[in-house]
Amino acid sequence: MRTLRRDEREAVLALLDEWPLSDGWRGRDYFGRYIELDPTYADDNFWVAEQDGQLVACVQIFPRQLRVRGTTLPVGGIGSVFTREAARGSGVASRLLEASVAAMRERSMEVSLLFASRHAFYGRLGWLLWPRQRSLWLRADTNTAPDALRPVEAFDASRDLDEVMALHERYSASRDGTVVRDRAFWLGQLGFAGNPTEEFLVARDAAGRVEAYARASLFEGFCAILELGRSDAPTATLALADLVQHSMAPRDPDPSAARAGRPSAEFRRMLLAPTHDDAALDAALAARGVAAKHFEERASMLRVVNAEALARRFGEAPRVGESPASMLRRLLPPEQLVFWPADRF
Ligand SMILES: CC(C)(COP(=O)(O)OP(=O)(O)OC[C@H]1O[C@@H](n2cnc3c(N)ncnc32)[C@H](O)[C@@H]1OP(=O)(O)O)[C@@H](O)C(=O)NCCC(=O)NCCS
């Protein structure tokens, strides 16, 4: 067990290519984007197990800074957890995950975050489920003619990135769990947020300034909003509702629907919303006849990596009898974790 060597990037991608992924992805292509484009990528963030000269298992740390209670929390995202079929069940992934936790602690990360359905497996290793509220937006019957909505434009990085970065910064600042992004991270993330493409729309106010944006893509078979943002201007809520409705409008051609193997009208009838904490947006959509069905997402898992450092960061004295996990639950309640799916790994 060790970290990846520079000349082994191809070998680890060949290993990950054995993973049958959703949404039409080949492992090599999906995970290769992070190696190529994520500015936080480093070979020694990959923990690998080698057997008889071959890589058989891997785990990857994704360093992220999350906004929590007005400060930024150094977090180790965990992803690319894979063991070759023949090597499974011997504890190799568990040991790699334990090694990653030790590595995160050494690198001053205080919390680890991952997204999984294998809750018992990660639970035994110390990660705890952080259930979040999500919604499914259902297209209103009248939402078939995007021409009736105000005009929107496709995001153009060379023109819009500064304004969208500023909106993201402001809108996300009060939402705990969102990732802090600098320009380099934004530029990289534009290349790995989609599945593989995304529909990134912007709406402008009367003065021509971007006042809202929405990013949508195929996501685990659904049409999903990956991220939202708007200014505080009263018109911005309506502009954002327009963008959401645009994302639900059938179109031709529709590469995302084609990739999902469904007709555009059916694919876009239901839109998977992120945890977003925006009551004004919800009200605007409801007023337009967009129904919302709520459900509990059971995928996010968190683990305290360094309880002392975490307590110090938030100026907390350890409470008698309180476990590190309870402290984290108090600091970052599950229902308040707004982690944009655009930032997933
Ligand atoms: C999930 C995955 C990475 C596990 O890899 P692994 O190397 O088999 O993991 P481990 O051997 O550490 O643990 C697997 C099981 O064996 C058990 N185990 C651990 N050590 C063991 C040992 N020495 N002897 C027997 N069993 C052992 C574990 O308790 C675990 O039990 P569970 O399946 O009931 O949770 C692997 O199944 C995989 O690659 N799956 C496809 C990709 C995937 O789903 N990745 C995770 C996405 S979130």
Side-chain angles (χ1 to χ4, degrees), residues 16 18-21 31 56-59 78-85 87-97 114-125 299 301:
L16 286 163
E18 293 172 24
W19 188 345
L21 297 172
F31 295 104
V56 296
C58 59
V59 165
I78 285 288
S80 318
V81 181
F82 184 78
T83 301
R84 170 167 293 166
E85 217 161 307
R88 288 183 190 168
S90 67
V92 62
S94 303
R95 287 197 298 275
L96 285 174
L97 285 161
L114 58 81
F115 304 96
S117 54
R118 296 174 179 267
H119 304 151
F121 172 64
Y122 291 107
R124 274 193 290 278
L125 293 162
M301 298 186 85

Side-chain angles (χ1 to χ4, degrees), residues 302-345:
L302 284 151
R303 181 197 202 282
V304 176
V305 166
N306 188 334
E308 291 76 27
L310 184 67
R312 273 198 306 276
R313 178 172 304 277
F314 291 99
E316 295 267 332
R319 296 190 184 176
V320 181
E322 187 180 52
S323 67
S326 302
M327 175 175 66
L328 184 59
R329 212 175 263 123
R330 188 159 49 71
L331 294 168
L332 181 56
E335 63 279 8
Q336 282 175 26
L337 178 72
V338 178
F339 180 94
W340 300 122
D343 286 311
R344 73 201 178 284
F345 34 78

Side-chain angles (χ1 to χ4, degrees), residues 33 188-196 198 215 217 226 341-344:
R33 298 190 301 177
Q189 198 240 35
L190 289 171
F192 58 78
N195 243 348
E198 62 170 319
R215 306 171 70 175
S217 179
L226 301 180
D343 286 311
R344 73 201 178 284

Side-chain angles (χ1 to χ4, degrees), residues 64-76 108-111 168-169 172-173 175-182 309-310 312-314 328 332:
R64 298 288 184 260
Q65 301 284 332
L66 262 56
R67 294 181 185 82
V68 178
R69 295 181 158 221
T71 179
T72 54
L73 178 66
V75 168
S108 305
M109 295 168 181
E110 293 165 18
V111 168
H168 166 82
E169 188 73 28
S172 297
R175 289 168 171 84
D176 280 357
T178 53
V179 172
V180 178
R181 303 181 194 144
D182 60 15
L310 184 67
R312 273 198 306 276
R313 178 172 304 277
F314 291 99
L328 184 59
L332 181 56

Side-chain angles (χ1 to χ4, degrees), residues 268-279:
R268 292 178 188 276
R269 197 182 63 81
M270 206 161 69
L271 190 60
L272 178 60
T275 302
H276 57 286
D277 187 24
D278 189 336

